[in-house]
Amino acid sequence: MEEIKADLKAVKNAVFGNNEDPKRQPGILRELSTLEASVKITNSTLAEMRGDQKKLLWLALAGVVGAVLRLVIMH
């Protein structure tokens, strides 16, 4: 019976964390919420980067179109 209680406590600590030492054993649920927050931050950063990438692409395209127009007008 004591072995079952010890196993149950170990599983509880693994899933929910150890209340006596939460820094060493935060538990799967707490780590999952931390990872979800990190993923949200990463996704927002990637979305910003995609927006900046689109702006740079339009700027490069406008430069190429401007250069072609200049060549056509000069000749």
Side-chain angles (χ1 to χ4, degrees), residues 26-71:
I28 293 170
L29 295 178
R30 188 171 299 150
E31 287 185 10
L32 183 62
S33 66
T34 303
L35 288 173
E36 286 175 345
S38 296
V39 167
K40 285 181 183 178
I41 291 170
T42 302
N43 285 341
S44 68
T45 302
L46 287 173
E48 263 184 56
M49 290 172 69
R50 283 187 196 112
D52 293 343
Q53 188 180 32
K54 287 180 182 179
K55 289 176 187 174
L56 286 173
L57 179 63
W58 279 109
L59 186 63
L61 185 63
V64 169
V65 169
V68 168
L69 284 175
R70 185 172 181 186
L71 282 174

